[in-house]
Amino acid sequence: MDSAVTLARPGSSSKRAENARKEAFLEGRLDGTVGTLAGIARHMRPKAPMETVDHAAVTLERGIVGDFRGAMKGKPYRRQVTLMERGDWEAATAEVGHVIPWEERRSNLLIDGFDLPQVRGIRVRIGDDVVLEITRETDPCERMEVLADGLRAALLPDWRGGACAMVITGGTIAVGDEIRIER
């Protein structure tokens, strides 16, 4: 076999592309920009009402303690915690002509003054201890149409529906905590 020929492993080019996107994102975002945790919500079971709280424990095993979704899959579940930007929610609800409380989106964390990363693998720190890794976009579900006609579509562009994350380091979070990119 010709020694100049190298065989690529399946998926290696997509992994390289993902790493390149991650590095490009980090280069532009490690400027110390911080936002604020503006809200915390959880629900004990599917379709249960959302409960807003001022603080919450976050664990590797359970995500936000008291939220059914965090422990739903057992081992590293990539949708343990969901985050949403306040500005995106307000823009989407304004687009459909309604004022709807943020917790109706059914996200766990409401973030203010911070542009959530739209790149898988980026980590964010909330408060002193908690580190989350962005795993994917949160796709808006059909329940959004029950809240307002057109809301699901209004949440589709530019990750307006939020981001899913898995817990890397647990701890306690509270409304008012800072959120920032973790290198």
Side-chain angles (χ1 to χ4, degrees), residues 124-135:
V124 295
R125 178 176 292 274
I126 302 174
D128 293 329
D129 302 318
V130 174
V131 177
L132 305 176
E133 182 174 298
I134 303 300
T135 56

Side-chain angles (χ1 to χ4, degrees), residues 4 12 37 42 47 60 65-66 83 92-93 100 110 130 138 140 143 162 172:
S12 64
L37 178 59
R42 61 190 182 190
K47 299 183 182 176
L60 276 74
V65 174
L83 304 91
T93 57
I100 303 169
L110 181 67
V130 174
T138 306
R143 293 181 65 136
T172 301

Side-chain angles (χ1 to χ4, degrees), residues 116-181:
L116 284 172
Q118 297 178 5
V119 178
R120 205 171 8 165
I122 299 294
R123 293 181 176 184
V124 295
R125 178 176 292 274
I126 302 174
D128 293 329
D129 302 318
V130 174
V131 177
L132 305 176
E133 182 174 298
I134 303 300
T135 56
R136 66 184 188 95
E137 179 178 3
T138 306
D139 298 319
C141 68
E142 64 280 348
R143 293 181 65 136
M144 297 302 100
E145 289 303 301
V146 173
L147 297 175
D149 287 339
L151 183 56
R152 184 178 186 185
L155 288 167
L156 287 174
D158 199 31
W159 287 46
R160 267 189 184 174
C164 296
M166 61 189 270
V167 179
I168 301 301
T169 306
T172 301
I173 56 173
V175 171
D177 280 351
E178 288 186 347
I179 180 171
R180 62 194 168 281
I181 300 296

